[in-house]
Amino acid sequence: MADVDPDTLLEWLQMGQGDERDMQLIALEQLCMLLLMSDNVDRCFETCPPRTFLPALCKIFLDESAPDNVLEVTARAITYYLDVSAECTRRIVGVDGAIKALCNRLVVVELNNRTSRDLAEQCVKVLELICTRESGAVFEASGLNCVLSFIRDSGHLVHKDTLWN
């Protein structure tokens, strides 16, 4: 964790055009590793505070030109934050349009594309975690309809642990 400059990491997360996507993807992978491998959540949250990083992650979902591979890692990072702290939910819900953007990815999933399918599975996990704490926000974003349609139409093609946790 000491090797990572959080300001640089955040700056790279906020990139998103052309070749900058590579830097954004590197920052996302680094953030995922930090969150996943941290043995001290408090120190991790001091380095990469949810109040700063979650809005940046949500904005990636709001970028309609963001590719599926970037969005999948973004959803994974959001999942790691949510796994660690229930407080992170309100930070995501507080970003206007973020829940709807997650739901919309389920609507446009291409199940024959592995990356798109992985993204959809990760979105279901994020919505599930948010639902346990802020179900109204998911309902208002038509999340229930999106998830149920996804399960009905595509449930047989995704990992079962995505649907039955």
Side-chain angles (χ1 to χ4, degrees):
M1 294 262 305
D3 299 332
V4 176
D5 175 34
D7 293 332
T8 302
L9 195 61
L10 187 60
E11 181 183 330
W12 288 3
L13 285 177
Q14 295 169 337
M15 296 178 164
Q17 302 298 322
D19 292 337
E20 292 178 345
R21 282 282 185 214
D22 293 336
M23 297 303 286
Q24 189 178 49
L25 191 55
I26 290 168
L28 286 164
E29 291 287 357
Q30 183 70 36
L31 179 60
C32 283
M33 289 302 296
L34 287 171
L35 294 169
L36 187 61
M37 303 307 239
S38 177
D39 58 349
N40 185 325
V41 174
D42 292 332
R43 193 173 328 131
C44 183
F45 276 22
E46 286 173 16
T47 304
C48 301
R51 72 179 175 282
T52 309
F53 279 77
L54 281 170
L57 294 171
C58 290
K59 287 179 184 168
I60 295 170
F61 261 95
L62 293 171
D63 179 358
E64 293 179 11
S65 66
D68 285 352
N69 65 326
V70 169
L71 292 170
E72 190 276 330
V73 181
T74 303
R76 205 172 347 128
I78 292 171
T79 301
Y80 294 153
Y81 271 110
L82 290 170
D83 278 341
V84 172
S85 172
E87 285 296 308
C88 293
T89 305
R90 67 182 175 86
R91 301 229 181 254
I92 296 165
V93 170
V95 177
D96 193 38
I99 306 290
K100 185 68 175 168
L102 280 160
C103 295
N104 287 341
R105 293 301 169 166
L106 291 177
V107 174
V108 298
V109 65
E110 296 176 30
L111 290 170
N112 58 344
N113 178 306
R114 176 66 187 193
T115 305
S116 182
R117 188 170 59 240
D118 289 348
L119 169 58
E121 290 176 359
Q122 203 64 48
C123 286
V124 168
K125 289 177 187 177
V126 170
L127 290 169
E128 177 186 8
L129 288 168
I130 291 172
C131 235
T132 61
R133 299 161 186 143
E134 293 280 346
S135 58
V138 176
F139 181 77
E140 288 172 12
S142 300
L144 183 60
N145 291 336
C146 292
V147 171
L148 290 176
S149 295
F150 175 74
I151 291 170
R152 182 192 65 228
D153 299 338
S154 313
H156 63 287
L157 297 171
V158 297
H159 290 107
K160 297 307 174 213
D161 70 333
T162 300
L163 307 177
W164 293 286
N165 265 340

